[in-house]
Amino acid sequence: MTLTEYLYYIILPILAFSVLLICYRFLKGPTIADKIIALDVLITTGIGIIGVYSIVHGRSTFLDIAMILALIAFLSTVAFSYYLEKRNRKK
């Protein structure tokens, strides 16, 4: 089994199934914190899919896009955490 076959037949189905599970958690999350974490994990899974695509097609520019997306995901998670902390202090 070559690397390309491994990525296509094992890694991508696992990532696709995890996207379905994450979307379910995002829609059914009882609190806003659950939804924020699900969104962060969804973006992280998307970064994994971009990485697989980059490896299969041999284009390293997609890795730059994945790094920018990771930075945006991190900053948004920090901003949401800050918002939740401030909201809980006011109560």
Side-chain angles (χ1 to χ4, degrees), residues 1-8 55-56:
M1 180 177 271
T2 65
L3 176 65
T4 305
E5 291 173 347
Y6 179 73
L7 290 173
Y8 273 132
I55 291 170
V56 168

Side-chain angles (χ1 to χ4, degrees), residues 20-46:
L20 292 175
L21 292 175
I22 294 165
C23 286
Y24 175 77
R25 174 50 39 196
F26 180 73
L27 295 174
K28 294 289 184 179
T31 65
I32 193 167
D34 291 329
K35 293 181 180 189
I36 291 170
I37 291 171
L39 188 63
D40 189 40
V41 174
L42 184 67
I43 293 172
T44 304
T45 306

